[in-house]
Structures are given as structure tokens and as C-alpha cells.
Amino acid sequence: MFQQDLAAIKQGVYKLPWDMTTISHRQYNPLFVLSKSAQFVAEGIATLNRRMSEGSADNWFQSNLYPKYYADNTFHYQSDGWMSDRSASVYEFSTETLFFGRQDAMQRSALLPLSQHIREHGLDPGSMRVMEACCGTGRFHTFLKDNFPSMSTICADLSPFYLARARANVAYWKSQRAPALDLGGMDGTGTEFM
């Protein structure tokens, strides 16, 4: 996965990850990393306890309008399923750990067909509109926006908590990488959230 990611970067298919080249990024702050690590450990212990005890998978959220795994904890046994700020807060660190540091590289591989389509058809990314369904916390969306800042985009997710995190992540990307640019939309990121 890392070799494919590096090859795509060297070939100019997409940029080096913005969070690796932005020294002011919060991930370089030891206190931020310690905070996320502590959240991850606490959530990991709670998840393992729930899984081992095979206790109730119910959480506060119940609705027939959502898939079953949104309304219970059986999918990953994470606290509150997908329906809390706490769950959204620990998600990125958890998945990156779960995939041994490959999560971002796996997600960036989705830029390959998009970049190829743009290149082969001579398209202007600024004239395109792309929706990321099931955007989660929007981490991948920051890589999409960094490579195609003028592209009009939509982040969509069923969890309002994850969508709020996506909005914050895209705004954070803009503040770090394109603070002077007005990319459109209500918040200047060129991204709609639904």
C-alpha cells in the first residue's frame, strides 16, 4: 500500500499528503497526540470489555430510518456506535491504528481513478462537482480538497456527529493550506455538508 502511494506521489498523480508537509499541523503537537492516544486507549478498553462480556449492544440512539449498525454497538462495539461526538473524536486515530498506519494511504488510493479521469478527459477540476458518500470524519476529503481545491465537493454521512467532525476537518485543512482563498460555499471551503 505504501509503495503504491509513494509511486502515485512520485508520478504526480496526487500530492504528498498535506498533513506531512504542514509543520503547523496539530499532529506534530505532542499534547494533541497524547490526548488522542489517551482517548484511543480508553475506547479500546471499553470496546474490548463490551465485546468480551457480550453485553447489551444498545445505545441511546434508536431509529428505523438508519441501518441497524448505527443503532447498536455490534458492528465494532465502539461507544455510542456512530452516534456521538466521542465516537467521531476517536475514529481517525482508531482506524489508523487498526490498519497499522495504512488508513490514509488506502483512502488516498481513491484519488487514482479521479485523477486519471480528469487527466484523460482534460477536465478542469473547478468545473466539477464530486460527492463523497459515507465521508465519516472527512479526513479523506481533506486530501481530495488539497489536490483539487477549486473542485466543488459534497461531504455526506448519516451520522450528524461524524459530519460535524468532517466540517471541522475540512475547515482545519483550509486554515492550514488555503487561508487566503475563497473556494466558495458558506464557509469558503467549497464544500457542502449533508
Side-chain angles (χ1 to χ4, degrees):
M1 183 53 53
F2 292 129
Q3 291 174 341
Q4 176 185 331
D5 194 43
L6 183 58
I9 292 165
K10 285 182 175 180
Q11 293 166 11
V13 176
Y14 51 81
K15 296 178 182 179
L16 191 65
W18 74 276
D19 57 348
M20 291 177 66
T21 59
T22 306
I23 299 304
S24 60
H25 194 285
R26 59 189 168 211
Q27 73 185 13
Y28 292 112
N29 179 333
L31 295 177
F32 177 81
V33 174
L34 282 172
S35 168
K36 290 299 177 183
S37 298
Q39 283 181 331
F40 170 71
V41 169
E43 179 60 25
I45 291 168
T47 298
L48 289 173
N49 285 338
R50 272 191 297 280
R51 181 170 277 164
M52 289 179 354
S53 71
E54 297 180 8
S56 172
D58 293 337
N59 65 37
W60 69 270
F61 179 79
Q62 300 295 317
S63 172
N64 292 330
L65 299 175
Y66 280 75
K68 183 177 178 339
Y69 64 87
Y70 267 79
D72 65 28
N73 293 325
T74 58
F75 189 57
H76 289 297
Y77 287 90
Q78 65 189 36
S79 298
D80 304 322
W82 305 103
M83 293 307 220
S84 74
D85 183 59
R86 178 175 65 171
S87 171
S89 177
V90 75
Y91 179 78
E92 291 172 19
F93 199 93
S94 296
T95 54
E96 196 64 39
T97 303
L98 177 68
F99 292 111
F100 301 105
R102 294 185 190 106
Q103 173 80 0
D104 285 348
M106 289 188 314
Q107 289 184 338
R108 280 191 301 273
S109 69
L111 293 171
L112 294 169
L114 180 60
S115 297
Q116 182 179 357
H117 179 75
I118 290 169
R119 194 173 51 258
E120 286 178 358
H121 297 281
L123 299 173
D124 170 18
S127 68
M128 298 175 68
R129 188 174 169 116
V130 172
M131 180 173 95
E132 181 188 359
C134 308
C135 71
T137 61
R139 182 142 171 88
F140 168 73
H141 213 81
T142 66
F143 298 121
L144 175 66
K145 291 301 288 186
D146 199 53
N147 281 273
F148 307 107
S150 64
M151 183 181 284
S152 178
T153 60
I154 301 169
C155 279
D157 199 273
L158 288 175
S159 171
F161 301 97
Y162 280 62
L163 199 57
R165 186 68 52 161
R167 181 185 297 274
N169 275 338
V170 173
Y172 183 73
W173 163 81
K174 185 182 183 308
S175 75
Q176 295 292 305
R177 295 290 279 194
L181 295 179
D182 182 0
L183 302 173
M186 290 177 53
D187 59 3
T189 65
T191 302
E192 295 175 50
F193 300 87
M194 53 187 334

